[in-house]
Amino acid sequence: MSGEKEYLKSYDKEMYEKPSVTVDLLVFTIVDDRLKIVLVKREEYPFKDMLALPGVFVNIDETLDGAAKRGIKEEAGITDIYFEQLYTWGDVNRDPRMRIISVSYLSLTPSEKIQLSIGQRTSSVELYDVEELLTSDAKLAFDHKKIIEYGRERIKNKTEYTQIAFEFLEEEFTLPQLQKVYEILLGKSLHKANFRRKVMPMVEETERMTMGDAHRPSKIYRVKENTIVV
Amino acid sequence: MSGEKEYLKSYDKEMYEKPSVTVDLLVFTIVDDRLKIVLVKREEYPFKDMLALPGVFVNIDETLDGAAKRGIKEEAGITDIYFEQLYTWGDVNRDPRMRIISVSYLSLTPSEKIQLSIGQRTSSVELYDVEELLTSDAKLAFDHKKIIEYGRERIKNKTEYTQIAFEFLEEEFTLPQLQKVYEILLGKSLHKANFRRKVMPMVEETERMTMGDAHRPSKIYRVKENTIVV
DNA sequence: ACAATAGTGTCTGTGAGACAGTATCGA
DNA sequence: TCGATACTGTCTCACAGACACTATTGT
């Protein structure tokens, strides 16, 4: 069957001008009871000295998830982390240099796992307060502020109907800690008794408790086996 | 500042091998009380004669949404339609010819708006029964079956917490019609009285009613102004 | 009158939210 | 003992689900 090998030719002939594809990373965490995100300071034009999401080009032999994983490892030093695809941004003039389509990835982690490193084209990698970024009129590189808003919104929504909040905590935690995470993500305070009733089916006690505080200690919990955390 | 113009050079030098980017379209509708999707039969290799999602390459000066809109117009003849980005598929060997990253778009429409046309590389464009496709072991081109499953799932989920079901109906409809749409999308039957209570705040009566049926006529409604349908 | 579908009134159980209380630590 | 935080019991109200009923057409 000649057709089976002929098809390659017809496609080679059509020389589409191709966009570049990158993966941009939104690595969220919680520090000092505040939602934070990993941003880099750009060392090159365009948007030199401005804050931007860390990102990597997608290699030709690399999946999107693979590129995201690689980027998270390179920029935040984390190999074992929750992440999911967020949205793909394809406006024509997002980047003044050339047409770049960016697949954004949302990832959540307890702050203890983060080990910030410094990329080639960036002068620093730091955690920034998310609400502060979004409420101030701070300008970010490219369309990255809009992307962060979108990611922030996704976190809030998924907090309501999934268990992603657990991704911000390490394996063991107390219920007051868990409640605090929910309150930060939802942006409102919750009633203790009701909150505990709600999360009880998802957690299981350990035998241990917190100690050293000048008040009643709290039980330490972990996520119950059968709880789907995403 | 020389830097401002220098930056272009440094990027020109790095010759990344770029993937191609396409937009794949999931156009869903309801016909004869069944969920249907627009598929094309491929006329070329690879996957010749198999069913596939309609799709278009993203032009270098075209947004992703723009490409989706163009594709929907070309394949289904619709210009005014609800659509949203679904997911971006980036496995390395999705397409045996070359690396293609596909941004999928979900769109919903009343069947009356569809006018199927025939593309260049496809022999036919038709509506196919979604549940039948997904429950049978029918094979589709590329990873398109997985994409359809993902889209089907998204519709089910969003039916529960948004008003997308309305997108399948024309401007005026009866409550029994609306209930039928919900039942099809959710895959289960609903209780009449409860359903009506639930949707009442989102609709408003017209003065007209159905006629000609050998049973009690039903009031004709439309979507209430302040109802956010997405 | 009857078949067939449209539409309504009401009961019940569940669960979210709010309140008010008790428990246990360090100092 | 007291300050501070952890934890619990119970009331209420809204709402989803189920049932049983009435209403209106064409034949």
Side-chain angles (χ1 to χ4, degrees):
Chain A
M1 299 210 284
S2 69
E4 299 214 9
K5 302 217 164 178
E6 289 287 317
Y7 69 74
L8 281 166
K9 250 197 277 177
S10 65
Y11 271 85
D12 283 345
K13 268 184 280 179
E14 309 179 33
M15 283 306 289
Y16 286 92
E17 197 184 344
K18 297 174 184 174
S20 298
V21 180
T22 66
V23 159
D24 282 335
L25 304 164
L26 291 85
V27 180
F28 286 96
T29 191
I30 290 179
V31 177
D32 297 336
D33 289 347
R34 305 277 301 175
L35 185 63
K36 308 278 184 180
I37 187 170
V38 174
L39 295 180
V40 302
K41 188 163 275 176
R42 290 183 56 80
E43 277 228 315
E44 299 195 357
Y45 291 98
F47 301 106
K48 186 169 186 299
D49 295 327
M50 292 181 72
L51 295 177
L53 293 168
V56 295
F57 279 88
V58 177
N59 293 328
I60 198 72
D61 58 350
E62 180 184 47
T63 64
L64 296 173
D65 284 11
K69 217 170 227 172
R70 174 168 62 85
I72 293 169
K73 184 177 176 185
E74 282 176 13
E75 306 280 355
I78 317 177
T79 51
D80 174 32
I81 191 175
Y82 168 77
F83 71 99
E84 66 175 50
Q85 191 184 298
L86 181 63
Y87 194 80
T88 300
W89 308 84
D91 276 2
V92 175
N93 292 311
R94 299 181 57 247
D95 190 311
R97 294 165 297 184
M98 53 180 171
R99 178 73 194 280
I100 296 188
I101 289 170
S102 159
V103 183
S104 56
Y105 274 78
L106 177 66
S107 77
L108 316 177
T109 179
S111 61
E112 293 84 356
K113 282 194 181 174
I114 295 186
Q115 291 207 314
L116 299 173
S117 33
I118 295 185
Q120 315 100 307
R121 246 185 298 289
T122 55
S123 56
S124 68
V125 192
E126 299 286 347
L127 289 173
Y128 293 85
D129 191 287
V130 174
E131 313 304 337
E132 215 169 288
L133 280 174
L134 295 183
T135 55
S136 77
D137 52 2
K139 284 204 185 359
L140 274 75
F142 309 105
D143 50 2
H144 288 185
K145 190 168 186 175
K146 186 168 58 175
I147 299 178
I148 294 171
E149 275 170 9
Y150 191 84
R152 174 70 183 92
E153 199 59 26
R154 174 94 129 233
I155 291 174
K156 187 184 274 185
N157 291 336
K158 290 198 86 165
T159 298
E160 282 172 344
Y161 63 93
T162 73
Q163 279 66 55
I164 54 161
F166 288 95
E167 299 296 338
F168 288 98
L169 293 171
E170 296 195 273
E171 201 175 334
E172 303 198 327
F173 50 85
T174 66
L175 294 193
Q177 279 169 4
L178 182 60
Q179 181 172 348
K180 193 71 203 176
V181 171
Y182 268 88
E183 289 176 341
I184 293 164
L185 301 183
L186 295 173
K188 63 178 180 190
S189 55
L190 302 172
H191 288 264
K192 200 173 13 175
N194 305 335
F195 176 78
R196 298 172 77 91
R197 261 206 316 261
K198 183 193 193 124
V199 300
M200 269 311 187
M202 306 189 285
V203 298
E204 61 187 9
E205 291 186 22
T206 68
E207 319 79 44
R208 281 166 304 105
M209 311 192 68
T210 58
M211 13 180 280
D213 299 312
H215 54 76
R216 177 166 172 177
S218 58
K219 286 185 197 156
I220 293 178
Y221 290 80
R222 68 163 67 90
V223 181
K224 199 182 275 179
E225 281 299 321
N226 58 4
T227 301
I228 295 111
V229 180
V230 181
Chain B
M1 297 212 283
S2 68
E4 298 216 10
K5 302 217 164 180
E6 290 286 317
Y7 68 75
L8 281 167
K9 250 198 278 177
S10 66
Y11 270 84
D12 283 345
K13 268 183 281 179
E14 309 180 32
M15 283 307 289
Y16 286 93
E17 196 184 345
K18 297 175 184 173
S20 298
V21 179
T22 65
V23 159
D24 283 334
L25 304 165
L26 292 85
V27 180
F28 286 95
T29 192
I30 291 179
V31 177
D32 296 337
D33 290 346
R34 305 277 301 174
L35 185 63
K36 309 277 184 180
I37 187 170
V38 174
L39 296 179
V40 302
K41 187 162 277 177
R42 290 184 56 79
E43 277 228 316
E44 299 195 356
Y45 291 97
F47 301 106
K48 186 168 184 301
D49 295 327
M50 292 180 72
L51 295 177
L53 293 169
V56 296
F57 279 88
V58 176
N59 293 329
I60 199 71
D61 58 351
E62 181 184 46
T63 64
L64 295 174
D65 285 12
K69 219 171 226 172
R70 174 169 62 86
I72 293 169
K73 184 177 176 185
E74 283 176 14
E75 307 279 355
I78 317 178
T79 52
D80 174 33
I81 190 175
Y82 168 78
F83 71 100
E84 66 176 49
Q85 191 184 299
L86 181 64
Y87 193 80
T88 300
W89 307 84
D91 276 2
V92 176
N93 292 311
R94 298 181 58 247
D95 191 310
R97 293 165 297 184
M98 53 180 170
R99 179 73 194 279
I100 296 188
I101 289 170
S102 160
V103 183
S104 56
Y105 273 79
L106 177 67
S107 79
L108 315 177
T109 179
S111 61
E112 292 83 355
K113 283 194 181 174
I114 295 186
Q115 292 208 312
L116 300 172
S117 32
I118 294 185
Q120 315 99 307
R121 246 186 297 289
T122 55
S123 55
S124 69
V125 192
E126 299 285 348
L127 288 173
Y128 293 86
D129 191 285
V130 174
E131 312 305 337
E132 215 169 288
L133 279 174
L134 294 183
T135 55
S136 77
D137 52 2
K139 284 205 185 359
L140 272 76
F142 309 105
D143 50 3
H144 289 185
K145 190 168 187 175
K146 186 168 58 175
I147 298 177
I148 294 172
E149 276 170 8
Y150 191 84
R152 174 70 182 91
E153 200 58 26
R154 175 93 129 232
I155 291 174
K156 187 184 274 184
N157 291 337
K158 290 197 88 165
T159 299
E160 282 172 345
Y161 63 93
T162 73
Q163 279 66 56
I164 53 161
F166 288 94
E167 298 297 339
F168 288 99
L169 293 171
E170 296 195 272
E171 203 175 330
E172 303 198 326
F173 50 84
T174 66
L175 294 193
Q177 279 169 7
L178 182 61
Q179 181 173 347
K180 193 69 202 178
V181 171
Y182 269 87
E183 290 176 341
I184 293 164
L185 300 183
L186 294 174
K188 63 178 180 191
S189 54
L190 303 172
H191 288 264
K192 200 174 14 174
N194 305 335
F195 176 78
R196 298 172 77 91
R197 261 208 315 262
K198 183 195 194 121
V199 299
M200 269 313 188
M202 305 188 287
V203 297
E204 62 187 7
E205 290 185 22
T206 67
E207 319 79 44
R208 281 167 303 106
M209 310 191 69
T210 57
M211 15 180 278
D213 300 310
H215 55 77
R216 178 168 173 175
S218 58
K219 286 185 198 156
I220 294 178
Y221 290 81
R222 70 164 65 89
V223 180
K224 200 182 276 182
E225 280 300 321
N226 58 4
T227 300
I228 293 111
V229 180
V230 180

